[in-house]
Amino acid sequence: MNLAELIAAASERLTPVERRIAAVVLEDPTWLAFGTVSDLATEVDTSRPSIVRFARKLGFEGFADMREHAQRGVTAKLSRPSQRIRHQEGSLGRAGAELTESIRHLFDGLDGPQLAALGDPLARAQQVWILSGETSLAAAHAMFSGLTMVRPNVHLISEHSSGRDLGGAAPGDAAIVFDFPRYRRHALTAATALGELGVELVAITDGPLSPYAALTQNWFALDVPAMGPFDSSVPRVAMAEVLVAYVATQLKDEAQVRIDRTEALWTATDTFLAEEN
Amino acid sequence: MNLAELIAAASERLTPVERRIAAVVLEDPTWLAFGTVSDLATEVDTSRPSIVRFARKLGFEGFADMREHAQRGVTAKLSRPSQRIRHQEGSLGRAGAELTESIRHLFDGLDGPQLAALGDPLARAQQVWILSGETSLAAAHAMFSGLTMVRPNVHLISEHSSGRDLGGAAPGDAAIVFDFPRYRRHALTAATALGELGVELVAITDGPLSPYAALTQNWFALDVPAMGPFDSSVPRVAMAEVLVAYVATQLKDEAQVRIDRTEALWTATDTFLAEEN
DNA sequence: AGGAGAATGTAACTGATTGGACATTTCTCT
DNA sequence: AGAGAAATGTCCAATCAGTTACATTCTCCT
């Protein structure tokens, strides 16, 4: 039973001042969720006891009770999707729901400016270095093969080659790291080293408490749903693909040329079966 | 500047207790918008002053100041649904919808017996061979690293090594191939060769017209949504993870032993940063 | 081992908030 | 016009919240 219904039920018995109060809280429920009795009294230009009497007339114990009710309503609005997940049962179905939810989260949270902040460095950099934690290898590979299709000078850093490879890094380059708890020591040191070399860092990680969030402003947080005994890398791969798609649109012509060239190479080496259209 | 960014900015300077506080308020911002200092202290299981110090460290005057900030954020979120809808019309939103739809498809279409048909060969095989097309490399890598964690004798076949590697294949083995139009010649020939050696083949491909559907009964069809100029590999990675999770449950004890061993190795080689409970 | 400094908790204080008792005003009906 | 009832406002007490000062504990380094 929401507030509007409660007010409607009591509406006949409301006094003039109480009607003014009702009008204000219906117009902006925020007054109820966040305000104090004094705030509301000032807003409605009445006395504090009138506010309390209003709450009682609606069936609450007092103002505090009414506020709790309003806050529950707001909380429900705010956290509906994530709670929905928790209520679903069945392991396969739940894993699927979590997965889709995390991807929905990704696309909801990524607005234009933010995507630009993450993607632009990768588009304009001289060279791009890709780092990843143990559980993010799939995303790093997706990033690497996608980015290689649309721009030159992309390097995937493996643990064994990093010392040698990173030597070529310089200001004007960009690095993108995929790393999540438990953060991989090697990825973090490499990222720090690149940062000190003047390389612009983009981080896909788990949240503001990540060590990478301290290294750069260009970070983005992903959910990490569970898939059986492991963390799912699906959202990370999705993120990698989104970034590749963005870079491709930014480098429109250059990317097209590269894609065509790769295609030609594949045709020449007879990589694919003949198409059947 | 939202709360996550503020926390990120201060994250290095946060003490252990303050990190716990940060984790709670990030998980559920409602604590900040509606809760009192005491509420939060109880939830985090710490003292009230620690909450206040946390607020100050983030740059607020005190807890009250931080709460006001959080409330403004919540108010903004409450009034944004109209924007969110508009946002979904853009190309980014559509890609996201396609992606979630394809994953929903995957989980809807995969019932228990079918999952068993695909997963059982991978669980009971002597050796597992992983093949993939050009655009399915991410899935193949996910499959490889996941399966390696839960069972022995897993081989990822790259183009250059296939002749040498496949020599070891024998009846009692299983192979899983990820390949989609345009099918990769190499992957198909390798799959055919393995089939002739008596290896059980599992195929993740695009549908009944796929050449792999002719090679084996154990095939499954995935949607392939577009992501910018490329095909998305997200559903394939999701599929790979589902299969790994299934194999893990089938090999319960053996898988656990392997996982533990890998963990121990990682700890011994100091691969990860210390955890911060 | 011991000491310095950071981290955290305890306890007390100040101010704000709620809810209720009581007074005043306003309305209505005779 | 006046009396009674309803509506509203004033004031106060009790509680609770936020903050600060200080004590204790923990950690790290010598």
Side-chain angles (χ1 to χ4, degrees), chain B residues 179-193:
Chain B
D179 199 8
F180 289 76
R182 300 159 306 167
Y183 309 104
R184 191 176 209 181
R185 182 179 300 280
H186 164 71
L188 186 56
T189 54
T192 309

Side-chain angles (χ1 to χ4, degrees), chain A residues 15 17 46 49-50:
Chain A
T15 68
V17 172
T46 182
S50 294

Side-chain angles (χ1 to χ4, degrees), chain A residues 249-267:
Chain A
T249 62
Q250 292 306 105
L251 302 179
K252 210 158 189 279
D253 295 340
E254 189 192 339
Q256 194 55 58
V257 169
R258 279 189 73 86
I259 293 174
D260 291 346
R261 218 169 356 172
T262 310
E263 292 280 333
L265 196 63
W266 279 340
T267 307

Side-chain angles (χ1 to χ4, degrees), chain B residues 10-273:
Chain B
S11 96
E12 287 176 315
R13 295 179 293 114
L14 292 181
T15 68
V17 169
E18 287 165 350
R19 273 159 193 280
R20 289 211 322 264
I21 301 171
V24 167
V25 301
L26 287 173
E27 161 84 14
D28 184 0
T30 302
W31 280 111
L32 264 190
F34 300 134
T36 66
V37 172
S38 307
D39 293 341
L40 238 185
T42 306
E43 173 69 16
V44 181
D45 194 28
T46 181
S47 63
R48 296 196 293 268
S50 294
I51 306 294
V52 174
R53 279 189 288 260
F54 173 74
R56 301 193 92 98
K57 205 172 258 187
L58 259 48
F60 297 104
E61 295 259 328
F63 182 81
D65 190 23
M66 177 165 69
R67 177 170 50 196
E68 266 181 47
H69 181 91
Q71 290 180 348
R72 274 195 298 276
V74 168
T75 317
K77 264 191 194 168
L78 283 178
S79 58
R80 213 187 346 182
S82 53
Q83 277 190 338
R84 240 184 269 160
I85 287 173
R86 218 179 313 138
H87 192 255
Q88 279 194 348
E89 300 299 329
S91 65
L92 234 182
R94 223 193 93 222
E98 263 185 50
L99 230 53
T100 52
E101 180 60 20
S102 68
I103 288 183
R104 202 188 55 72
H105 235 113
L106 194 172
F107 284 92
D108 280 0
L110 244 198
D111 56 8
Q114 212 163 359
L115 180 56
L118 299 171
D120 283 338
L122 305 177
R124 63 169 180 249
Q126 276 297 314
Q127 303 183 87
V128 176
W129 308 88
I130 302 174
L131 310 170
S132 98
E134 187 64 33
T135 58
S136 300
L137 282 170
H141 278 118
M143 189 87 218
F144 177 67
S145 59
L147 215 49
T148 303
M149 289 283 287
V150 298
R151 58 154 295 158
N153 304 321
V154 181
H155 309 275
L156 180 61
I157 304 303
S158 73
E159 176 142 18
H160 305 299
S161 64
S162 78
R164 190 179 61 225
D165 286 349
L166 291 179
D173 292 359
I176 179 162
V177 57
F178 291 83
D179 199 8
F180 289 76
R182 300 159 306 167
Y183 309 104
R184 191 176 209 181
R185 182 179 300 280
H186 164 71
L188 186 56
T189 54
T192 309
L194 283 169
E196 283 164 3
L197 284 172
V199 171
E200 199 165 3
L201 183 65
V202 176
I204 309 301
T205 186
D206 64 310
L209 294 179
S210 159
Y212 296 98
L215 288 180
T216 176
Q217 305 220 335
N218 300 326
W219 58 270
F220 189 79
L222 291 181
D223 291 342
V224 180
M227 174 64 76
F230 303 114
D231 292 340
S232 172
S233 60
V234 166
R236 309 172 209 185
V237 172
M239 185 74 211
E241 291 187 347
V242 169
L243 287 172
V244 168
Y246 176 81
V247 172
T249 61
Q250 293 305 107
L251 302 180
K252 210 159 189 283
D253 295 339
E254 188 190 342
Q256 195 54 56
V257 169
R258 280 189 72 86
I259 292 174
D260 290 346
R261 217 163 3 168
T262 312
E263 292 279 332
L265 196 63
W266 279 339
T267 307
T269 57
D270 207 18
T271 302
F272 297 112
L273 296 180

